Amino acid sequence: MTGYTMLRNGGAGNGGQTCMLRWSNRIRLTWLSFTLFIILVFFPLIAHYYLTTLDEADEAGKRIFGPRAGSELCEVKHVLDLCRIRESVSEELLQLEAKRQELNSEIAKLNLKIEACKKSIENAKQDLLQLKNVISQTEHSYKELMAQNQPKLSLPIRLLPEKDDAGLPPPKAQRGCRLHNCFDYSRCPLTSGFPVYVYDSDQFAFGSYLDPLVKQAFQATARANVYVTDNADIACLYVILVGEMQEPTVLRPADLEKQLSSLPHWRTDGHNHIIISLSRKSDTQNLLYNVSTGRAMVAQSTFYAAQYRPGFDLVVSPLVHAMSEPNFMEIPPQVPVKRKYLFTFQGEKIESLRSSLQEARSFEEEMEGDPPADYDDRIIATLKAVQDSKLDQVLVEFTCKNQPRPSLPTEWALCGEREDRLELLKLSTFALIITPGDPRLLVSSGCATRLFEALEVGAVPVVLGEHVQLPYQDVLQWSEAALVVPKPRVTEVHFLLRSLSDSDLLAMRRQGRFLWETYFSTTDSIFSTVLAVIRTRIQIPAAPIREEAAAEIPHRSGKAAGTDPNMADTGDLDLGPVETEPPYASPKYLRNFTLTVTDLYRSWNSAPGPFHLFPHTPFDPVLPSEAKFLGSGTGFRPIGGGAGGSGKEFQAALGGNVPREQFTVVMLTYEREEVLMNSLERLNGLPYLNKVVVVWNSPKLPSEDLVWPDIGVPIMVVRTEKNSLNNRFLPWNEIETEAILSIDDDAHLRHDEIMFGFRVWREARDRIVGFPGRYHAWDIPHQSWLYNSNYSCELSMVLTGAAFFHKYYAYLYSYVMPQAIRDMVDEYINCEDIAMNFLVSHITRKPPIKVQHCRQ
């Protein structure tokens, strides 16, 4: 307890001391902290106040801590070094800034050089690619030539026979004359051009007996024919006109034979001569019967079997329109197909076969066997029975109401005047033609006149008698335009006519109309057809059709035209290799001298409708053996193309055997220079463009200071003789491509649109392919034509203000189409596009093709 207390007290004394020490330590720390606070807070405030007060003194010399001037600072010794360093650094910074700007300028120059080098590299790559294309195309052309192995040959030396040639060995009989034994081919080389010499009939005695109208018409036609020459020494063929004679003229066969033998180039037997006798009347006598014509060919409308030499002589149509053109306004339309009468016939048989045989014993002497049966009584009974049955409306009259026209024995005479017969035929679907009862009369002027009139007004001819020789029968396919029925089948004629469909009937009517227009209608067509038949027989190509000589207007070109990217975009169309070489003309037709039987077969079976029979020159009607080919007339390949391909090869070579092809732009303009220049500039960079032919249709020449754009292809400015819209379709000799893009000077077409149209045309080369469409139709209630220019889904024609067509149609429009149509275009200063559409559709029986604008 005591110990405990002592411990406690002792502990108490020691604990008090400890507490005091702790308390004194805390006081010292407090004062120390307070002192530090006073020093750190109040002293800076006081110093700041004092310094501020000193700086606000008025005299500058009293500012002890204020800022000093640079010079004053530099006077300070320890600051001098800093000043020098600052000045040195400033100078170095200025120098570095100058060097930086100089380097930036050099970098910019180097960047420009780099861009120029890049462009040069790209241009070099393009040039290299073009060179590769040229090399590739050249190699391809070389391979094609090596594959064809057809080196071009020079023309052979022309053969010129001696003036006093000995002639050919005589044939065994005059009726045995054929080309191989009665025609001298040495006078007609392939390259001769088929020269024809026409005798002047007035220089001979029989010329005074000729019908003045026939003689005048024949002479006018001969003067205008391209084959006729005045040099008789080089002639291949000699032509002499001997008929029709005036009435009453009796020229004995012996006298005519003597006069023919006296012709200066007759050469004893008349080889390479053709004697033409044209008939204007249905009762024209057979002038050359019982006349020895030697080796001369005969062309007339009446032949006896004892007289006609197949493959040598020619049956021609009668000369109805001697000195005048047919009035096409009076020709009825080809539709409707069915007319009032199913068939009609008017005629009167003056002399029977039996009486004819009794009076003409010379015929019996030439016959072998019994006389032929006369079917005319059976024909009369059958046709009257069809008429009385009233199953169809027909008209048959076997007795003329008026005096019948004169005719040959056993021939059905014509009734009434020509105008009355035509009015009846206009109401007839078919026209019956009954051949003469005597089969030895192969053809007569009366039958030829009935055939002519039926074809003229669109009545399909039905010829009863298969022995008849129709005009140009060895070169024309008459089965496409007429029905030839043997007389024993007369009881089946009604059934046969009823079985024809409307489409077949319309096709025959169209073909008949074509034959009539091309071969029978005028003196020029008859004479041209006679020459064409002979030229085809001896295998001489037709004379090239003439081209319109282009009178160029000199002009100067300026700088290269710019290309609008929107106009120049051709899309992804693949039309074969783009031509990087000079303009590539369409290849000329190289088969002019090799018309063969295979060509004849293809001409009848390849082309639909009458397309293969359209006239291919204004001088020469096209014949079947040369119908499908344009080379004889234009120098170009066939319109129909050639052998095709497959897959990608065919896509890259559209148009059959035309792996590469270009087109020519023909642009008609009239004193709109600024519009014209803008249109030409839009053609810059257009692929497959061969050249541009600008038809300057104004008598005023372009301005001398006018600068024409350089679009990379030749621009040919052609001056015309007069302001005519027909000038758009002239076959200018500067057009060297088959494809023509006819375009107005204010037309706006993108390059991809033109390329698309060109691609479509290459697949349909015989049609018009264009952009602006129109609609026309016949308004039955108002009996007039409707023409609509508004855009609609019904379109029937394509305007030629922006359209592709074959150059061949330019020949047809300018030289073959009737002049009255071109005169109407000049009169109205319009409608040339309508005329071209009707022309092409008439030839091809196909509508045009409209391609849509590719506007976005």
Side-chain angles (χ1 to χ4, degrees), residues 113-168:
K113 291 182 179 180
I114 291 173
E115 293 296 330
C117 290
K118 289 182 178 180
K119 291 183 178 179
S120 299
I121 293 173
E122 291 296 330
N123 293 334
K125 289 181 179 180
Q126 292 294 333
D127 294 340
L128 180 61
L129 181 61
Q130 293 177 358
L131 290 175
K132 288 182 179 180
N133 290 336
V134 172
I135 294 173
S136 176
Q137 295 173 12
T138 305
E139 291 177 349
H140 182 71
S141 301
Y142 177 75
K143 291 179 181 179
E144 287 182 346
L145 292 176
M146 293 300 294
Q148 294 176 357
N149 194 20
Q150 293 180 353
K152 293 184 178 180
L153 303 176
S154 60
L155 295 177
I157 299 176
R158 181 177 176 184
L159 301 176
L160 292 177
E162 298 292 338
K163 294 183 179 179
D164 299 329
D165 53 353
L168 300 173

Side-chain angles (χ1 to χ4, degrees), residues 52-307:
T52 304
T53 303
L54 292 177
D55 290 339
E56 291 177 356
D58 296 332
E59 296 180 1
K62 294 182 180 181
R63 284 185 281 169
I64 300 174
F65 300 99
R68 296 176 180 269
S71 60
E72 295 178 356
L73 293 175
C74 292
E75 293 176 358
V76 183
K77 185 177 182 178
H78 64 277
V79 181
L80 293 176
D81 295 336
L82 296 175
C83 291
R84 286 193 295 271
I85 292 171
R86 187 189 67 175
E87 293 175 356
S88 176
V89 171
S90 298
E91 291 178 359
E92 291 180 356
L93 290 175
L94 293 175
Q95 294 176 0
L96 291 174
E97 179 64 23
K99 289 183 179 180
R100 188 184 68 82
Q101 293 179 357
E102 183 178 354
L103 291 175
N104 287 337
S105 177
E106 292 180 358
I107 291 172
K109 293 180 180 179
L110 292 175
N111 287 333
L112 293 177
K113 291 182 179 180
I114 291 173
E115 293 296 330
C117 290
K118 289 182 178 180
K119 291 183 178 179
S120 299
I121 293 173
E122 291 296 330
N123 293 334
K125 289 181 179 180
Q126 292 294 333
D127 294 340
L128 180 61
L129 181 61
Q130 293 177 358
L131 290 175
K132 288 182 179 180
N133 290 336
V134 172
I135 294 173
S136 176
Q137 295 173 12
T138 305
E139 291 177 349
H140 182 71
S141 301
Y142 177 75
K143 291 179 181 179
E144 287 182 346
L145 292 176
M146 293 300 294
Q148 294 176 357
N149 194 20
Q150 293 180 353
K152 293 184 178 180
L153 303 176
S154 60
L155 295 177
I157 299 176
R158 181 177 176 184
L159 301 176
L160 292 177
E162 298 292 338
K163 294 183 179 179
D164 299 329
D165 53 353
L168 300 173
K172 295 181 179 180
Q174 180 178 341
R175 289 195 58 191
C177 260
R178 299 296 184 269
L179 289 176
H180 69 277
N181 60 1
C182 288
F183 191 86
D184 185 5
Y185 281 90
S186 65
R187 302 197 63 88
C188 306
L190 290 176
T191 58
S192 63
F194 191 60
V196 176
Y197 180 79
V198 179
Y199 288 100
D200 186 2
S201 301
D202 292 333
Q203 297 181 0
F204 306 98
F206 59 83
S208 59
Y209 301 129
L210 293 176
D211 187 322
L213 288 179
V214 174
K215 181 170 62 175
Q216 184 178 356
F218 183 81
Q219 292 175 348
T221 298
R223 285 193 298 266
N225 194 277
V226 67
Y227 297 106
V228 174
T229 179
D230 295 331
N231 189 355
D233 295 334
I234 65 171
C236 166
L237 185 70
Y238 300 87
V239 180
I240 181 65
L241 178 69
V242 299
E244 176 173 54
M245 294 293 181
Q246 301 183 62
E247 292 183 359
T249 299
V250 179
L251 185 62
R252 295 186 305 171
D255 295 338
L256 180 58
E257 182 177 335
K258 182 178 179 180
Q259 295 182 32
L260 291 176
S261 301
S262 64
L263 294 176
H265 305 284
W266 187 259
R267 297 184 181 92
T268 69
D269 58 5
H271 62 271
N272 291 48
H273 278 65
I274 181 170
I275 305 172
I276 299 179
S277 177
L278 301 178
S279 60
R280 292 184 57 240
K281 300 182 294 294
S282 60
D283 61 334
T284 300
Q285 299 296 320
N286 190 350
L287 181 65
L288 296 174
Y289 187 70
N290 291 329
V291 174
S292 176
T293 57
R295 287 191 172 95
M297 292 175 280
V298 176
Q300 60 182 10
S301 300
T302 302
F303 274 105
Y304 291 109
Q307 178 187 14

Side-chain angles (χ1 to χ4, degrees), residues 355-480:
S355 59
S356 175
L357 293 177
Q358 292 175 354
E359 296 179 4
R361 291 295 179 182
S362 59
F363 288 163
E364 289 188 22
E365 296 174 358
E366 299 175 2
M367 292 181 55
E368 296 181 1
D370 298 331
D374 191 355
Y375 290 96
D376 289 351
D377 295 338
R378 185 185 305 177
I379 291 173
I380 294 173
T382 302
L383 296 182
K384 285 185 176 180
V386 174
Q387 184 178 18
D388 296 338
S389 66
K390 301 188 182 302
L391 295 176
D392 290 291
Q393 192 169 2
V394 299
L395 177 63
V396 289
E397 296 178 353
F398 300 103
T399 302
C400 295
K401 298 179 180 178
N402 301 320
Q403 183 68 23
R405 312 292 297 176
S407 63
L408 298 178
T410 74
E411 183 185 17
W412 287 90
L414 295 170
C415 295
E417 300 296 332
R418 167 178 159 82
E419 292 74 14
D420 300 331
R421 297 195 300 270
L422 291 180
E423 290 299 324
L424 177 61
L425 290 174
K426 290 178 183 179
L427 303 176
S428 307
T429 306
F430 296 93
L432 293 184
I433 301 175
I434 305 177
T435 58
D438 188 353
R440 295 164 301 180
L441 184 58
L442 296 183
V443 63
S444 64
S445 297
C447 288
T449 301
R450 290 182 183 272
L451 179 66
F452 181 95
E453 294 176 352
L455 295 177
E456 181 178 3
V457 296
V460 177
V462 180
V463 182
L464 292 179
E466 79 286 359
H467 66 283
V468 69
Q469 287 290 328
L470 298 179
Y472 321 115
Q473 187 166 331
D474 55 339
V475 292
L476 295 184
Q477 194 78 1
W478 277 104
S479 61
E480 295 185 354

Side-chain angles (χ1 to χ4, degrees), residues 643-710:
S646 61
K648 184 178 183 299
E649 291 78 7
F650 180 72
Q651 180 190 11
L654 291 179
N657 55 2
V658 191
R660 55 179 180 172
E661 187 173 19
Q662 295 180 343
F663 62 89
T664 302
V665 169
V666 177
M667 187 177 296
L668 188 71
T669 187
Y670 186 91
E671 296 185 5
R672 296 201 297 181
E673 297 179 353
E674 182 178 358
V675 175
L676 176 63
M677 296 303 108
N678 293 334
S679 297
L680 292 176
E681 290 181 356
R682 287 192 292 269
L683 299 177
N684 185 33
L686 179 60
Y688 309 102
L689 179 59
N690 181 271
K691 70 173 60 172
V692 178
V693 177
V694 177
V695 182
W696 191 264
N697 222 20
S698 171
K700 180 181 177 182
L701 296 180
S703 303
E704 296 182 357
D705 57 348
L706 182 62
V707 178
W708 296 71
D710 183 5

Side-chain angles (χ1 to χ4, degrees), residues 7-50:
L7 179 63
R8 183 180 179 182
N9 291 334
N14 295 333
Q17 294 177 356
T18 303
C19 290
M20 288 298 293
L21 289 173
R22 293 178 178 173
W23 184 79
S24 62
N25 289 335
R26 290 178 179 175
I27 292 175
R28 286 196 295 271
L29 291 172
T30 302
W31 279 103
L32 181 59
S33 300
F34 181 76
T35 302
L36 290 174
F37 177 77
I38 292 298
I39 293 172
L40 295 174
V41 175
F42 287 97
F43 182 76
L45 292 176
I46 295 172
H48 180 268
Y49 173 76
Y50 177 72

Side-chain angles (χ1 to χ4, degrees), residues 190 227 532-543 589-603 616 620-633 636 638:
L190 290 176
Y227 297 106
V533 171
I534 299 174
R535 182 185 50 75
T536 304
R537 286 177 177 177
I538 62 177
Q539 300 178 339
I540 294 183
Y589 188 66
L590 301 178
R591 294 191 60 196
N592 286 348
F593 301 100
T594 56
L595 299 176
T596 62
V597 178
T598 57
D599 301 333
L600 173 65
Y601 175 78
R602 285 199 298 268
S603 69
H616 77 155
D620 222 1
V622 71
L623 296 176
S625 59
E626 57 195 31
K628 189 75 160 95
F629 305 97
L630 299 180
S632 300
F636 289 127

